[in-house]
Amino acid sequence: MKNQENKIAANKRLAELLGWSKLIEVGGALVGTPSAGAAESRGQALVPDWMGDWAAAGPLLAQFDIRLIPMSAGVDAAGFLEWYRFYPDKDAAARAAIVKAATHHLERAR
């Protein structure tokens, strides 16, 4: 359950930084008012699941100019493995890295 809570918290923080408001959790998903297009959504829409869905996380790569770099001999593999163990698979770890990078970019821009 802790992983689900962390996933929701990460999605919520990114949504807030992207201008979403009135965020609430409904059955393990987030809904809220998007920063743009609120009229088209009748004031409420499903927040993208950046942590769980490549279709949502993928566009963040281009939007924030994020580069995923493959592991190499020059990378601290021990540190990566320590971080990676918190995720069920490599895909989940990569999506989490994307969300973390986008969140960091937006927080620095404030």
Side-chain angles (χ1 to χ4, degrees), residues 1-108:
M1 194 59 166
K2 187 71 171 167
N3 286 341
Q4 180 69 10
E5 291 170 8
N6 291 341
K7 177 181 161 182
I8 290 169
N11 281 332
K12 183 176 183 181
R13 179 67 183 139
L14 182 54
E16 290 168 342
L17 290 167
L18 289 170
W20 287 70
S21 60
K22 300 177 185 171
L23 295 165
I24 57 170
E25 182 183 346
V26 179
L30 287 171
V31 295
T33 303
S35 60
E40 292 82 11
S41 66
R42 296 184 184 169
Q44 191 174 46
L46 185 64
V47 173
D49 183 9
W50 296 290
M51 290 286 289
D53 182 9
W54 274 109
L60 295 173
L61 292 169
Q63 184 177 354
F64 297 104
D65 198 24
I66 297 168
R67 305 279 191 267
L68 290 181
I69 301 170
M71 295 294 291
S72 69
V75 175
D76 178 8
F80 175 79
L81 291 175
E82 178 65 22
W83 182 76
Y84 171 72
R85 72 181 175 90
F86 295 109
Y87 299 93
D89 55 44
K90 290 178 184 177
D91 280 349
R95 286 189 305 270
I98 292 167
V99 170
K100 185 175 182 176
T103 300
H104 178 72
H105 173 82
L106 289 165
E107 286 175 338
R108 279 192 3 214

